Amino acid sequence: MMAAYDSVVIGGGIGGLAAAYTLYKRGYRVLVIEAANRVGGVIHSVTTPEGFTLDCGPNTLGTKDVRLWQELIDLGLRERITPATRHGKRRFILINGKPVEIPSSPVSLVTTPLLSWQGKLRVLAEPFVKNEPASADESVAAFFNRRIGPEATARLLDPFVAGVYAGDPNQLSIAAVFPSLWEAAQRGGSIVRGMLKQPKQKPAVSEPKMRSRTFSFRAGLAEWPRALARALGAGNVWTGRKAVGLRNRGGYWEVTVDGAGEIETITARSVIIATPAYAAAELVESLDTGAASALRHIPYAPVAVVHLGFRRDQLSRELNGFGVLAPSSERRQFLGILWASSLFPHVAPADRALTITLAGGAIRPELAEQSEEALIESALRDNQQVLGISGQPLLTHVTRWRYAIPQYTFGHRERMAAIERLEQRWPTLQLTGSYRGGVGVPKTWATGVQAGERVAAALDAQGATTATFEQARG
């Protein structure tokens, strides 16, 4: 049997593209198969006739990873990068219906109205609180209630989890969501003492360092996946085609692809599955029922994204900050309202303002299922009440993500172990996605790179490429 490709990557989100590009740079012949008619997955940007730039999924990148930064430069995106304004450092939490700035220093922690004096003292007492033995599957809420107290958990941790994971802190596993904090508490008896006791490992090779940067691109985050697709070559990125079958035959992989009803089979020496977990489960079912079951048991939270555009004279005050998150205790209809044009002025015309209201999540998923009219009405009401915006919006845009963010719930580490066993059995088959290693875009990218590196190592061990085979055949 002759392999048509060194690797087929199933899924054209940022993780799949990162894996493909990692292999491509090493000289391997790679094909990306994406079911949607565009690459990027949840990274999706739209430019409106009114001059607004809408990021309908993630809207910022924050990283201090030199490798990621260098990749963007290699892709020719240096001049397209737009750094966030200094206002992005200011983040707010809704307390009693009013945005209150999150403390950014020990001094501001002491003076913040977010916590009572008792709540502040409880946070500062964390190093002295006895670490009671607990399961690795203790919930995020239970862990932080023990470590920093219920008030700080409800007012700081709860909205953070909602903003990043759209999750329920009572259902998320502390060891899966915050592994370094959980390990620190086990190591040192408290988070603070554990961090201080963490052994410093010197890298074998000195690596350059950079400070964390928050940025986007002139036409939105989707410029990045589109640049990756261009680098791979149009013929090596298939959109509008769905992988519907996978099997190993004689050491090679056969991927069955459905393109508008036309079925074809692609042969490859390796496969990387970079789809959401539920789709990956269908592909690996015939190879490992345990791994397929683990993948199916990873829940996803739905999120609705509502963009509202206003004239600047409709704002009663300047929105100088990243945005505001709503704790569950506030019982609001939104998870957070992001002040997009404060962070990136280029996303709106000079005399306009743009906000992004997020609704749904694991605690109140039904909110993401409302009609567009209901979502817009609710978002507008919250923008008016919380941000003091008056009048009707000039622009409205709704995007729904039924499967927005994977939830690292109880048993998540065991599910990941089942996937690792599958990969150990088949080294030329690797899985990647936001359900592994963190849900943020930079983490999903890094997990994709790692999958590409693991496949490259397996292919290197085989000692040949499809080009080698083709030359020998010719």
Side-chain angles (χ1 to χ4, degrees):
M1 182 183 294
M2 189 64 63
Y5 294 92
D6 291 309
S7 191
V8 168
V9 178
I10 303 172
I14 199 64
L17 292 170
Y21 190 56
T22 298
L23 288 164
Y24 170 81
K25 288 187 292 185
R26 297 194 180 198
Y28 285 110
R29 189 178 182 193
V30 185
L31 173 66
V32 176
I33 300 171
E34 168 55 48
N37 60 6
R38 60 171 181 82
V39 296
V42 295
I43 298 178
H44 181 42
S45 306
V46 175
T47 300
T48 75
E50 299 89 350
F52 290 93
T53 298
L54 314 181
D55 270 304
C56 303
N59 74 318
T60 62
L61 286 174
T63 187
K64 58 180 179 180
D65 191 326
V66 176
R67 299 171 306 161
L68 192 158
W69 196 258
Q70 187 59 53
E71 179 175 294
L72 297 177
I73 294 172
D74 293 343
L75 290 168
L77 292 173
R78 180 196 285 269
E79 300 304 318
R80 306 294 299 173
I81 292 171
T82 56
T85 66
R86 57 184 176 82
H87 301 310
K89 295 180 180 179
R90 303 183 67 204
R91 302 176 185 231
F92 296 77
I93 288 176
L94 195 69
I95 298 296
N96 299 323
K98 303 293 183 183
V100 178
E101 189 168 356
I102 298 173
S104 57
S105 67
V107 173
S108 58
L109 175 62
V110 172
T111 59
T112 180
L114 276 172
L115 299 175
S116 66
W117 276 107
Q118 292 89 339
K120 295 170 187 175
L121 291 173
R122 182 64 180 81
V123 172
L124 295 173
E126 193 278 333
F128 310 103
V129 175
K130 182 179 179 181
N131 190 43
E132 301 171 4
S135 162
D137 255 353
E138 181 181 24
S139 74
V140 167
F143 175 83
F144 282 102
N145 274 328
R146 287 195 300 107
R147 298 310 319 159
I148 62 174
E151 184 182 350
T153 299
R155 291 195 169 192
L156 300 177
L157 190 279
D158 174 283
F160 174 81
V161 169
V164 175
Y165 285 86
D168 181 351
N170 291 297
Q171 298 299 319
L172 297 178
S173 164
I174 181 63
V177 176
F178 298 108
S180 60
L181 298 184
W182 182 78
E183 289 165 5
Q186 309 317 301
R187 181 171 56 245
S190 85
I191 297 173
V192 172
R193 293 204 306 271
M195 288 294 189
L196 294 174
K197 286 186 176 181
Q198 185 173 8
K200 293 184 179 179
Q201 297 179 345
K202 292 185 178 180
V205 179
S206 178
E207 297 180 354
K209 295 182 179 180
M210 62 178 271
R211 59 183 177 84
S212 182
R213 303 182 186 184
T214 301
F215 58 96
S216 182
F217 303 97
R218 292 183 187 176
L221 288 192
E223 286 205 49
W224 183 16
R226 288 198 292 260
L228 283 165
R230 284 196 303 271
L232 293 168
N236 298 320
V237 181
W238 294 357
T239 56
R241 304 190 198 185
K242 183 178 180 181
V244 295
L246 174 67
R247 71 170 180 167
N248 189 275
R249 185 178 176 190
Y252 289 87
W253 294 97
E254 290 184 345
V255 182
T256 305
V257 181
D258 183 352
E262 294 185 9
I263 304 296
E264 61 182 307
T265 299
I266 308 297
T267 307
R269 298 170 60 212
S270 66
V271 170
I272 296 174
I273 301 176
T275 66
Y278 52 86
E282 300 301 319
L283 292 170
V284 304
E285 179 70 52
S286 63
L287 300 171
D288 189 322
T289 56
S293 176
L295 288 160
R296 285 196 185 94
H297 280 83
I298 298 173
Y300 280 70
V303 174
V305 181
V306 183
H307 286 85
L308 299 177
F310 302 95
R311 298 188 314 275
R312 284 205 169 269
D313 61 16
Q314 291 178 263
L315 276 60
S316 61
R317 62 182 177 84
E318 286 298 319
L319 302 178
N320 293 331
F322 193 103
V324 58
L325 297 173
S328 303
S329 58
E330 290 286 312
R331 302 196 64 78
R332 287 282 178 166
Q333 297 279 301
F334 68 90
L335 296 169
I337 304 176
L338 308 181
W339 307 340
S341 54
S342 171
L343 196 61
F344 300 114
H346 74 278
V347 303
D351 58 345
R352 302 288 188 262
L354 180 68
T355 67
I356 306 172
T357 305
L358 308 174
I363 295 179
R364 301 188 68 185
E366 71 281 359
L367 294 179
E369 303 298 328
Q370 299 176 93
S371 67
E372 286 196 11
E373 292 78 10
L375 284 165
I376 291 169
E377 180 182 354
S378 175
L380 178 58
R381 182 173 59 251
D382 284 323
N383 275 249
Q384 291 171 338
Q385 293 177 357
V386 173
L387 304 181
I389 296 175
S390 62
Q392 295 298 307
L394 304 174
L395 170 135
T396 62
H397 188 278
V398 175
T399 309
R400 281 194 191 84
W401 300 102
R402 185 177 180 186
Y403 302 100
I405 302 176
Q407 302 295 292
Y408 292 21
T409 55
F410 302 129
H412 192 79
R413 297 206 308 176
E414 288 73 20
R415 290 190 280 273
M416 294 303 99
I419 294 168
E420 290 167 7
R421 287 192 292 271
L422 168 66
E423 294 172 329
Q424 289 165 4
R425 181 183 173 194
W426 304 99
T428 54
L429 173 66
Q430 297 292 317
L431 283 74
T432 187
S434 56
Y435 58 86
R436 301 184 78 175
V439 300
V441 173
K443 290 184 178 179
T444 303
W445 169 85
T447 305
V449 170
Q450 291 162 10
E453 290 173 342
R454 291 195 299 270
V455 164
L459 294 177
D460 289 346
Q462 293 180 358
T465 67
T466 53
T468 306
F469 284 124
E470 290 170 357
Q471 290 169 7
R473 183 174 59 177

PDB file of all heavy atoms in Angstrom, residues 154 229 255:
ATOM      1  N   ALA A 154     -16.787  33.270  45.770  1.00  0.00           N
ATOM      2  CA  ALA A 154     -18.021  33.699  45.105  1.00  0.00           C
ATOM      3  C   ALA A 154     -17.811  34.965  44.285  1.00  0.00           C
ATOM      4  O   ALA A 154     -18.368  35.105  43.183  1.00  0.00           O
ATOM      5  CB  ALA A 154     -19.115  33.918  46.140  1.00  0.00           C
ATOM      6  N   ALA A 229      -3.393  28.391   6.871  1.00  0.00           N
ATOM      7  CA  ALA A 229      -3.919  27.656   5.716  1.00  0.00           C
ATOM      8  C   ALA A 229      -3.186  28.057   4.439  1.00  0.00           C
ATOM      9  O   ALA A 229      -2.863  27.202   3.594  1.00  0.00           O
ATOM     10  CB  ALA A 229      -5.419  27.898   5.585  1.00  0.00           C
ATOM     11  N   VAL A 255      -8.446   7.125   5.770  1.00  0.00           N
ATOM     12  CA  VAL A 255      -9.442   8.099   6.228  1.00  0.00           C
ATOM     13  C   VAL A 255     -10.517   8.215   5.156  1.00  0.00           C
ATOM     14  O   VAL A 255     -10.217   8.562   4.004  1.00  0.00           O
ATOM     15  CB  VAL A 255      -8.799   9.480   6.485  1.00  0.00           C
ATOM     16  CG1 VAL A 255      -9.849  10.456   7.016  1.00  0.00           C
ATOM     17  CG2 VAL A 255      -7.636   9.364   7.457  1.00  0.00           C
TER      18      VAL A 255
END
